[in-house]
Amino acid sequence: MAATNSRVKPLKLDRTDRRILELMQSDGRMTNLELADRVGLSPTPCSRRVKRLESSGLIERHVTLLNQALLGLNITAMISITMDRHTPDRFETFERQVMAFPEVIECSIVTGQAADYLLKAVLPDMTYYEEFLLGRLTRIAGVTGVHSSFVLRKVIARTELPLDHIE
């Protein structure tokens, strides 16, 4: 899980960098030759730009997105977690343990609600969810409250980050 840090200064990107990022976000399997053609560069300078974006950390990794339903992961749960104490050791313990759960695909510390953490988990069915909740999640030291909501239908499921705000 990538940490977000609002103190990180955004990289300076030109129009070509932004276009490269837009295209790579929409199709990560695009070859360098195709990418170069679509952005109007020759392959070598395009490849250099991609390598620079990767080495800068802006491109974190390349992934393959899978179809959740075809894998039998029919439930998406948004789980709010409340901790008993707000101490570094409690939070470290929780985070270390929850990272080991493959069902949890996102975990964030949140503010503005009663919960301390918000998890997004994918699971095959309610029986599995109950075992996950009672057998693992609530057994983590410090967890005092759990509130779950279930996704009925995804209205938007983007993976692409917006780039229009970059000048």
PDB file of all heavy atoms in Angstrom, residues 11-45:
ATOM      1  N   LEU A  11       6.102  16.704  -9.182  1.00  0.00           N
ATOM      2  CA  LEU A  11       7.100  16.862 -10.245  1.00  0.00           C
ATOM      3  C   LEU A  11       6.603  17.849 -11.291  1.00  0.00           C
ATOM      4  O   LEU A  11       5.406  17.997 -11.499  1.00  0.00           O
ATOM      5  CB  LEU A  11       7.335  15.524 -10.936  1.00  0.00           C
ATOM      6  CG  LEU A  11       8.052  14.444 -10.154  1.00  0.00           C
ATOM      7  CD1 LEU A  11       8.116  13.179 -10.981  1.00  0.00           C
ATOM      8  CD2 LEU A  11       9.456  14.896  -9.784  1.00  0.00           C
ATOM      9  N   LYS A  12       7.530  18.505 -11.949  1.00  0.00           N
ATOM     10  CA  LYS A  12       7.198  19.358 -13.087  1.00  0.00           C
ATOM     11  C   LYS A  12       7.014  18.456 -14.295  1.00  0.00           C
ATOM     12  O   LYS A  12       7.920  17.693 -14.647  1.00  0.00           O
ATOM     13  CB  LYS A  12       8.316  20.371 -13.353  1.00  0.00           C
ATOM     14  CG  LYS A  12       8.523  21.359 -12.234  1.00  0.00           C
ATOM     15  CD  LYS A  12       7.440  22.408 -12.273  1.00  0.00           C
ATOM     16  CE  LYS A  12       7.746  23.478 -11.237  1.00  0.00           C
ATOM     17  NZ  LYS A  12       6.627  24.363 -11.012  1.00  0.00           N
ATOM     18  N   LEU A  13       5.859  18.542 -14.903  1.00  0.00           N
ATOM     19  CA  LEU A  13       5.560  17.726 -16.077  1.00  0.00           C
ATOM     20  C   LEU A  13       5.130  18.627 -17.222  1.00  0.00           C
ATOM     21  O   LEU A  13       4.384  19.585 -17.016  1.00  0.00           O
ATOM     22  CB  LEU A  13       4.421  16.747 -15.769  1.00  0.00           C
ATOM     23  CG  LEU A  13       4.628  15.784 -14.602  1.00  0.00           C
ATOM     24  CD1 LEU A  13       3.362  15.022 -14.328  1.00  0.00           C
ATOM     25  CD2 LEU A  13       5.774  14.843 -14.894  1.00  0.00           C
ATOM     26  N   ASP A  14       5.588  18.291 -18.416  1.00  0.00           N
ATOM     27  CA  ASP A  14       5.107  19.040 -19.578  1.00  0.00           C
ATOM     28  C   ASP A  14       3.936  18.285 -20.205  1.00  0.00           C
ATOM     29  O   ASP A  14       3.524  17.221 -19.735  1.00  0.00           O
ATOM     30  CB  ASP A  14       6.244  19.310 -20.563  1.00  0.00           C
ATOM     31  CG  ASP A  14       6.832  18.041 -21.177  1.00  0.00           C
ATOM     32  OD1 ASP A  14       6.180  16.976 -21.143  1.00  0.00           O
ATOM     33  OD2 ASP A  14       7.955  18.121 -21.704  1.00  0.00           O
ATOM     34  N   ARG A  15       3.413  18.844 -21.280  1.00  0.00           N
ATOM     35  CA  ARG A  15       2.239  18.264 -21.948  1.00  0.00           C
ATOM     36  C   ARG A  15       2.523  16.831 -22.420  1.00  0.00           C
ATOM     37  O   ARG A  15       1.672  15.949 -22.322  1.00  0.00           O
ATOM     38  CB  ARG A  15       1.850  19.159 -23.124  1.00  0.00           C
ATOM     39  CG  ARG A  15       0.589  18.740 -23.810  1.00  0.00           C
ATOM     40  CD  ARG A  15       0.163  19.620 -24.981  1.00  0.00           C
ATOM     41  NE  ARG A  15       1.107  20.662 -25.335  1.00  0.00           N
ATOM     42  CZ  ARG A  15       0.815  21.956 -25.369  1.00  0.00           C
ATOM     43  NH1 ARG A  15      -0.386  22.363 -25.049  1.00  0.00           N
ATOM     44  NH2 ARG A  15       1.730  22.838 -25.724  1.00  0.00           N
ATOM     45  N   THR A  16       3.733  16.574 -22.907  1.00  0.00           N
ATOM     46  CA  THR A  16       4.081  15.233 -23.393  1.00  0.00           C
ATOM     47  C   THR A  16       4.126  14.236 -22.234  1.00  0.00           C
ATOM     48  O   THR A  16       3.620  13.114 -22.360  1.00  0.00           O
ATOM     49  CB  THR A  16       5.431  15.258 -24.140  1.00  0.00           C
ATOM     50  OG1 THR A  16       5.336  16.212 -25.211  1.00  0.00           O
ATOM     51  CG2 THR A  16       5.780  13.903 -24.708  1.00  0.00           C
ATOM     52  N   ASP A  17       4.715  14.639 -21.103  1.00  0.00           N
ATOM     53  CA  ASP A  17       4.726  13.756 -19.924  1.00  0.00           C
ATOM     54  C   ASP A  17       3.304  13.411 -19.503  1.00  0.00           C
ATOM     55  O   ASP A  17       3.003  12.254 -19.206  1.00  0.00           O
ATOM     56  CB  ASP A  17       5.441  14.431 -18.749  1.00  0.00           C
ATOM     57  CG  ASP A  17       6.936  14.563 -18.939  1.00  0.00           C
ATOM     58  OD1 ASP A  17       7.523  13.734 -19.659  1.00  0.00           O
ATOM     59  OD2 ASP A  17       7.521  15.500 -18.347  1.00  0.00           O
ATOM     60  N   ARG A  18       2.444  14.420 -19.452  1.00  0.00           N
ATOM     61  CA  ARG A  18       1.044  14.183 -19.054  1.00  0.00           C
ATOM     62  C   ARG A  18       0.364  13.222 -20.023  1.00  0.00           C
ATOM     63  O   ARG A  18      -0.355  12.316 -19.611  1.00  0.00           O
ATOM     64  CB  ARG A  18       0.276  15.499 -18.970  1.00  0.00           C
ATOM     65  CG  ARG A  18       0.633  16.335 -17.767  1.00  0.00           C
ATOM     66  CD  ARG A  18      -0.358  17.457 -17.498  1.00  0.00           C
ATOM     67  NE  ARG A  18      -0.640  18.300 -18.644  1.00  0.00           N
ATOM     68  CZ  ARG A  18       0.071  19.370 -18.998  1.00  0.00           C
ATOM     69  NH1 ARG A  18       1.121  19.730 -18.294  1.00  0.00           N
ATOM     70  NH2 ARG A  18      -0.290  20.082 -20.053  1.00  0.00           N
ATOM     71  N   ARG A  19       0.599  13.393 -21.307  1.00  0.00           N
ATOM     72  CA  ARG A  19      -0.019  12.509 -22.306  1.00  0.00           C
ATOM     73  C   ARG A  19       0.508  11.081 -22.149  1.00  0.00           C
ATOM     74  O   ARG A  19      -0.259  10.122 -22.236  1.00  0.00           O
ATOM     75  CB  ARG A  19       0.264  13.049 -23.715  1.00  0.00           C
ATOM     76  CG  ARG A  19      -0.419  12.278 -24.810  1.00  0.00           C
ATOM     77  CD  ARG A  19      -1.928  12.460 -24.793  1.00  0.00           C
ATOM     78  NE  ARG A  19      -2.518  11.700 -25.888  1.00  0.00           N
ATOM     79  CZ  ARG A  19      -3.597  10.967 -25.768  1.00  0.00           C
ATOM     80  NH1 ARG A  19      -4.265  10.929 -24.635  1.00  0.00           N
ATOM     81  NH2 ARG A  19      -4.056  10.278 -26.805  1.00  0.00           N
ATOM     82  N   ILE A  20       1.798  10.939 -21.925  1.00  0.00           N
ATOM     83  CA  ILE A  20       2.380   9.611 -21.687  1.00  0.00           C
ATOM     84  C   ILE A  20       1.686   8.958 -20.497  1.00  0.00           C
ATOM     85  O   ILE A  20       1.284   7.795 -20.548  1.00  0.00           O
ATOM     86  CB  ILE A  20       3.909   9.702 -21.464  1.00  0.00           C
ATOM     87  CG1 ILE A  20       4.617  10.000 -22.784  1.00  0.00           C
ATOM     88  CG2 ILE A  20       4.451   8.424 -20.824  1.00  0.00           C
ATOM     89  CD1 ILE A  20       6.096  10.339 -22.633  1.00  0.00           C
ATOM     90  N   LEU A  21       1.528   9.699 -19.412  1.00  0.00           N
ATOM     91  CA  LEU A  21       0.903   9.153 -18.207  1.00  0.00           C
ATOM     92  C   LEU A  21      -0.565   8.802 -18.447  1.00  0.00           C
ATOM     93  O   LEU A  21      -1.039   7.755 -17.989  1.00  0.00           O
ATOM     94  CB  LEU A  21       1.038  10.140 -17.048  1.00  0.00           C
ATOM     95  CG  LEU A  21       2.468  10.360 -16.558  1.00  0.00           C
ATOM     96  CD1 LEU A  21       2.511  11.521 -15.561  1.00  0.00           C
ATOM     97  CD2 LEU A  21       3.047   9.099 -15.958  1.00  0.00           C
ATOM     98  N   GLU A  22      -1.273   9.639 -19.164  1.00  0.00           N
ATOM     99  CA  GLU A  22      -2.681   9.332 -19.474  1.00  0.00           C
ATOM    100  C   GLU A  22      -2.787   8.028 -20.258  1.00  0.00           C
ATOM    101  O   GLU A  22      -3.600   7.162 -19.938  1.00  0.00           O
ATOM    102  CB  GLU A  22      -3.303  10.467 -20.289  1.00  0.00           C
ATOM    103  CG  GLU A  22      -3.582  11.716 -19.492  1.00  0.00           C
ATOM    104  CD  GLU A  22      -3.947  12.915 -20.369  1.00  0.00           C
ATOM    105  OE1 GLU A  22      -3.855  12.822 -21.625  1.00  0.00           O
ATOM    106  OE2 GLU A  22      -4.288  13.955 -19.791  1.00  0.00           O
ATOM    107  N   LEU A  23      -1.958   7.894 -21.286  1.00  0.00           N
ATOM    108  CA  LEU A  23      -2.009   6.695 -22.118  1.00  0.00           C
ATOM    109  C   LEU A  23      -1.584   5.449 -21.355  1.00  0.00           C
ATOM    110  O   LEU A  23      -2.205   4.392 -21.481  1.00  0.00           O
ATOM    111  CB  LEU A  23      -1.135   6.889 -23.363  1.00  0.00           C
ATOM    112  CG  LEU A  23      -1.670   7.912 -24.375  1.00  0.00           C
ATOM    113  CD1 LEU A  23      -0.597   8.280 -25.384  1.00  0.00           C
ATOM    114  CD2 LEU A  23      -2.915   7.364 -25.071  1.00  0.00           C
ATOM    115  N   MET A  24      -0.537   5.570 -20.544  1.00  0.00           N
ATOM    116  CA  MET A  24      -0.068   4.412 -19.773  1.00  0.00           C
ATOM    117  C   MET A  24      -1.086   3.995 -18.721  1.00  0.00           C
ATOM    118  O   MET A  24      -1.219   2.804 -18.436  1.00  0.00           O
ATOM    119  CB  MET A  24       1.287   4.707 -19.132  1.00  0.00           C
ATOM    120  CG  MET A  24       2.424   4.769 -20.142  1.00  0.00           C
ATOM    121  SD  MET A  24       4.028   5.014 -19.370  1.00  0.00           S
ATOM    122  CE  MET A  24       4.286   3.381 -18.649  1.00  0.00           C
ATOM    123  N   GLN A  25      -1.798   4.966 -18.146  1.00  0.00           N
ATOM    124  CA  GLN A  25      -2.826   4.620 -17.160  1.00  0.00           C
ATOM    125  C   GLN A  25      -3.991   3.870 -17.805  1.00  0.00           C
ATOM    126  O   GLN A  25      -4.575   2.991 -17.192  1.00  0.00           O
ATOM    127  CB  GLN A  25      -3.377   5.870 -16.473  1.00  0.00           C
ATOM    128  CG  GLN A  25      -2.472   6.451 -15.420  1.00  0.00           C
ATOM    129  CD  GLN A  25      -3.182   7.532 -14.638  1.00  0.00           C
ATOM    130  OE1 GLN A  25      -3.574   7.291 -13.495  1.00  0.00           O
ATOM    131  NE2 GLN A  25      -3.370   8.686 -15.233  1.00  0.00           N
ATOM    132  N   SER A  26      -4.311   4.230 -19.040  1.00  0.00           N
ATOM    133  CA  SER A  26      -5.452   3.588 -19.695  1.00  0.00           C
ATOM    134  C   SER A  26      -5.090   2.238 -20.320  1.00  0.00           C
ATOM    135  O   SER A  26      -5.948   1.379 -20.464  1.00  0.00           O
ATOM    136  CB  SER A  26      -6.066   4.506 -20.747  1.00  0.00           C
ATOM    137  OG  SER A  26      -5.176   4.703 -21.815  1.00  0.00           O
ATOM    138  N   ASP A  27      -3.815   2.064 -20.682  1.00  0.00           N
ATOM    139  CA  ASP A  27      -3.383   0.799 -21.289  1.00  0.00           C
ATOM    140  C   ASP A  27      -1.925   0.547 -20.939  1.00  0.00           C
ATOM    141  O   ASP A  27      -1.015   0.980 -21.655  1.00  0.00           O
ATOM    142  CB  ASP A  27      -3.571   0.844 -22.804  1.00  0.00           C
ATOM    143  CG  ASP A  27      -3.167  -0.468 -23.484  1.00  0.00           C
ATOM    144  OD1 ASP A  27      -2.769  -1.431 -22.790  1.00  0.00           O
ATOM    145  OD2 ASP A  27      -3.248  -0.525 -24.719  1.00  0.00           O
ATOM    146  N   GLY A  28      -1.697  -0.154 -19.847  1.00  0.00           N
ATOM    147  CA  GLY A  28      -0.348  -0.440 -19.380  1.00  0.00           C
ATOM    148  C   GLY A  28       0.422  -1.420 -20.251  1.00  0.00           C
ATOM    149  O   GLY A  28       1.627  -1.568 -20.094  1.00  0.00           O
ATOM    150  N   ARG A  29      -0.254  -2.079 -21.178  1.00  0.00           N
ATOM    151  CA  ARG A  29       0.423  -3.040 -22.058  1.00  0.00           C
ATOM    152  C   ARG A  29       0.867  -2.410 -23.367  1.00  0.00           C
ATOM    153  O   ARG A  29       1.452  -3.080 -24.206  1.00  0.00           O
ATOM    154  CB  ARG A  29      -0.505  -4.215 -22.355  1.00  0.00           C
ATOM    155  CG  ARG A  29      -0.724  -5.078 -21.115  1.00  0.00           C
ATOM    156  CD  ARG A  29      -1.467  -6.307 -21.456  1.00  0.00           C
ATOM    157  NE  ARG A  29      -0.681  -7.093 -22.412  1.00  0.00           N
ATOM    158  CZ  ARG A  29      -0.942  -8.336 -22.732  1.00  0.00           C
ATOM    159  NH1 ARG A  29      -1.950  -8.945 -22.191  1.00  0.00           N
ATOM    160  NH2 ARG A  29      -0.211  -8.984 -23.606  1.00  0.00           N
ATOM    161  N   MET A  30       0.582  -1.125 -23.540  1.00  0.00           N
ATOM    162  CA  MET A  30       0.970  -0.449 -24.770  1.00  0.00           C
ATOM    163  C   MET A  30       2.493  -0.524 -24.918  1.00  0.00           C
ATOM    164  O   MET A  30       3.231  -0.266 -23.979  1.00  0.00           O
ATOM    165  CB  MET A  30       0.512   1.016 -24.705  1.00  0.00           C
ATOM    166  CG  MET A  30       0.728   1.789 -25.977  1.00  0.00           C
ATOM    167  SD  MET A  30       0.137   3.495 -25.838  1.00  0.00           S
ATOM    168  CE  MET A  30      -1.581   3.253 -25.454  1.00  0.00           C
ATOM    169  N   THR A  31       2.944  -0.880 -26.100  1.00  0.00           N
ATOM    170  CA  THR A  31       4.389  -0.956 -26.335  1.00  0.00           C
ATOM    171  C   THR A  31       4.972   0.455 -26.389  1.00  0.00           C
ATOM    172  O   THR A  31       4.251   1.430 -26.634  1.00  0.00           O
ATOM    173  CB  THR A  31       4.706  -1.676 -27.662  1.00  0.00           C
ATOM    174  OG1 THR A  31       4.243  -0.860 -28.745  1.00  0.00           O
ATOM    175  CG2 THR A  31       4.082  -3.063 -27.709  1.00  0.00           C
ATOM    176  N   ASN A  32       6.273   0.550 -26.203  1.00  0.00           N
ATOM    177  CA  ASN A  32       6.936   1.844 -26.298  1.00  0.00           C
ATOM    178  C   ASN A  32       6.761   2.428 -27.696  1.00  0.00           C
ATOM    179  O   ASN A  32       6.599   3.634 -27.860  1.00  0.00           O
ATOM    180  CB  ASN A  32       8.419   1.727 -25.944  1.00  0.00           C
ATOM    181  CG  ASN A  32       9.102   3.075 -25.982  1.00  0.00           C
ATOM    182  OD1 ASN A  32       8.738   3.982 -25.237  1.00  0.00           O
ATOM    183  ND2 ASN A  32      10.059   3.224 -26.874  1.00  0.00           N
ATOM    184  N   LEU A  33       6.776   1.578 -28.722  1.00  0.00           N
ATOM    185  CA  LEU A  33       6.601   2.039 -30.095  1.00  0.00           C
ATOM    186  C   LEU A  33       5.220   2.677 -30.282  1.00  0.00           C
ATOM    187  O   LEU A  33       5.105   3.758 -30.874  1.00  0.00           O
ATOM    188  CB  LEU A  33       6.797   0.867 -31.065  1.00  0.00           C
ATOM    189  CG  LEU A  33       6.965   1.203 -32.534  1.00  0.00           C
ATOM    190  CD1 LEU A  33       8.167   2.116 -32.758  1.00  0.00           C
ATOM    191  CD2 LEU A  33       7.116  -0.070 -33.349  1.00  0.00           C
ATOM    192  N   GLU A  34       4.174   2.003 -29.760  1.00  0.00           N
ATOM    193  CA  GLU A  34       2.819   2.559 -29.848  1.00  0.00           C
ATOM    194  C   GLU A  34       2.709   3.862 -29.056  1.00  0.00           C
ATOM    195  O   GLU A  34       2.116   4.832 -29.530  1.00  0.00           O
ATOM    196  CB  GLU A  34       1.794   1.559 -29.298  1.00  0.00           C
ATOM    197  CG  GLU A  34       1.610   0.313 -30.121  1.00  0.00           C
ATOM    198  CD  GLU A  34       0.745  -0.711 -29.384  1.00  0.00           C
ATOM    199  OE1 GLU A  34       1.130  -1.130 -28.267  1.00  0.00           O
ATOM    200  OE2 GLU A  34      -0.310  -1.062 -29.940  1.00  0.00           O
ATOM    201  N   LEU A  35       3.275   3.853 -27.861  1.00  0.00           N
ATOM    202  CA  LEU A  35       3.230   5.032 -26.998  1.00  0.00           C
ATOM    203  C   LEU A  35       3.926   6.209 -27.676  1.00  0.00           C
ATOM    204  O   LEU A  35       3.381   7.322 -27.735  1.00  0.00           O
ATOM    205  CB  LEU A  35       3.883   4.715 -25.650  1.00  0.00           C
ATOM    206  CG  LEU A  35       3.864   5.800 -24.593  1.00  0.00           C
ATOM    207  CD1 LEU A  35       2.441   6.192 -24.213  1.00  0.00           C
ATOM    208  CD2 LEU A  35       4.624   5.317 -23.352  1.00  0.00           C
ATOM    209  N   ALA A  36       5.107   5.974 -28.206  1.00  0.00           N
ATOM    210  CA  ALA A  36       5.863   7.033 -28.880  1.00  0.00           C
ATOM    211  C   ALA A  36       5.063   7.604 -30.046  1.00  0.00           C
ATOM    212  O   ALA A  36       4.992   8.828 -30.225  1.00  0.00           O
ATOM    213  CB  ALA A  36       7.206   6.484 -29.363  1.00  0.00           C
ATOM    214  N   ASP A  37       4.450   6.736 -30.818  1.00  0.00           N
ATOM    215  CA  ASP A  37       3.652   7.183 -31.956  1.00  0.00           C
ATOM    216  C   ASP A  37       2.474   8.044 -31.503  1.00  0.00           C
ATOM    217  O   ASP A  37       2.195   9.083 -32.094  1.00  0.00           O
ATOM    218  CB  ASP A  37       3.158   5.964 -32.739  1.00  0.00           C
ATOM    219  CG  ASP A  37       2.410   6.363 -33.997  1.00  0.00           C
ATOM    220  OD1 ASP A  37       2.984   7.119 -34.812  1.00  0.00           O
ATOM    221  OD2 ASP A  37       1.253   5.932 -34.157  1.00  0.00           O
ATOM    222  N   ARG A  38       1.803   7.629 -30.421  1.00  0.00           N
ATOM    223  CA  ARG A  38       0.615   8.350 -29.938  1.00  0.00           C
ATOM    224  C   ARG A  38       0.952   9.710 -29.327  1.00  0.00           C
ATOM    225  O   ARG A  38       0.132  10.606 -29.340  1.00  0.00           O
ATOM    226  CB  ARG A  38      -0.140   7.500 -28.903  1.00  0.00           C
ATOM    227  CG  ARG A  38      -0.602   6.146 -29.413  1.00  0.00           C
ATOM    228  CD  ARG A  38      -2.040   6.002 -29.827  1.00  0.00           C
ATOM    229  NE  ARG A  38      -3.063   6.582 -29.028  1.00  0.00           N
ATOM    230  CZ  ARG A  38      -3.840   5.943 -28.177  1.00  0.00           C
ATOM    231  NH1 ARG A  38      -3.648   4.652 -27.950  1.00  0.00           N
ATOM    232  NH2 ARG A  38      -4.795   6.575 -27.544  1.00  0.00           N
ATOM    233  N   VAL A  39       2.176   9.860 -28.792  1.00  0.00           N
ATOM    234  CA  VAL A  39       2.554  11.148 -28.193  1.00  0.00           C
ATOM    235  C   VAL A  39       3.401  11.994 -29.134  1.00  0.00           C
ATOM    236  O   VAL A  39       3.735  13.134 -28.799  1.00  0.00           O
ATOM    237  CB  VAL A  39       3.268  10.996 -26.824  1.00  0.00           C
ATOM    238  CG1 VAL A  39       2.365  10.339 -25.822  1.00  0.00           C
ATOM    239  CG2 VAL A  39       4.586  10.266 -26.954  1.00  0.00           C
ATOM    240  N   GLY A  40       3.750  11.455 -30.297  1.00  0.00           N
ATOM    241  CA  GLY A  40       4.499  12.227 -31.278  1.00  0.00           C
ATOM    242  C   GLY A  40       5.991  12.312 -31.021  1.00  0.00           C
ATOM    243  O   GLY A  40       6.630  13.317 -31.345  1.00  0.00           O
ATOM    244  N   LEU A  41       6.539  11.255 -30.441  1.00  0.00           N
ATOM    245  CA  LEU A  41       7.993  11.188 -30.211  1.00  0.00           C
ATOM    246  C   LEU A  41       8.548   9.979 -30.941  1.00  0.00           C
ATOM    247  O   LEU A  41       7.810   9.057 -31.288  1.00  0.00           O
ATOM    248  CB  LEU A  41       8.302  11.024 -28.717  1.00  0.00           C
ATOM    249  CG  LEU A  41       8.008  12.167 -27.769  1.00  0.00           C
ATOM    250  CD1 LEU A  41       8.253  11.726 -26.331  1.00  0.00           C
ATOM    251  CD2 LEU A  41       8.860  13.381 -28.106  1.00  0.00           C
ATOM    252  N   SER A  42       9.861   9.956 -31.121  1.00  0.00           N
ATOM    253  CA  SER A  42      10.493   8.730 -31.607  1.00  0.00           C
ATOM    254  C   SER A  42      10.656   7.809 -30.390  1.00  0.00           C
ATOM    255  O   SER A  42      10.598   8.262 -29.250  1.00  0.00           O
ATOM    256  CB  SER A  42      11.821   9.032 -32.293  1.00  0.00           C
ATOM    257  OG  SER A  42      12.711   9.636 -31.396  1.00  0.00           O
ATOM    258  N   PRO A  43      10.836   6.518 -30.607  1.00  0.00           N
ATOM    259  CA  PRO A  43      10.865   5.558 -29.500  1.00  0.00           C
ATOM    260  C   PRO A  43      11.911   5.831 -28.415  1.00  0.00           C
ATOM    261  O   PRO A  43      11.620   5.679 -27.230  1.00  0.00           O
ATOM    262  CB  PRO A  43      11.122   4.218 -30.185  1.00  0.00           C
ATOM    263  CG  PRO A  43      10.551   4.397 -31.548  1.00  0.00           C
ATOM    264  CD  PRO A  43      10.839   5.834 -31.912  1.00  0.00           C
ATOM    265  N   THR A  44      13.126   6.220 -28.796  1.00  0.00           N
ATOM    266  CA  THR A  44      14.180   6.410 -27.793  1.00  0.00           C
ATOM    267  C   THR A  44      13.862   7.537 -26.807  1.00  0.00           C
ATOM    268  O   THR A  44      13.919   7.319 -25.590  1.00  0.00           O
ATOM    269  CB  THR A  44      15.550   6.617 -28.471  1.00  0.00           C
ATOM    270  OG1 THR A  44      15.830   5.463 -29.271  1.00  0.00           O
ATOM    271  CG2 THR A  44      16.654   6.793 -27.447  1.00  0.00           C
ATOM    272  N   PRO A  45      13.498   8.740 -27.262  1.00  0.00           N
ATOM    273  CA  PRO A  45      13.144   9.789 -26.299  1.00  0.00           C
ATOM    274  C   PRO A  45      11.910   9.433 -25.455  1.00  0.00           C
ATOM    275  O   PRO A  45      11.833   9.780 -24.280  1.00  0.00           O
ATOM    276  CB  PRO A  45      12.866  11.020 -27.162  1.00  0.00           C
ATOM    277  CG  PRO A  45      13.483  10.758 -28.471  1.00  0.00           C
ATOM    278  CD  PRO A  45      13.545   9.269 -28.631  1.00  0.00           C
TER     279      PRO A  45
END
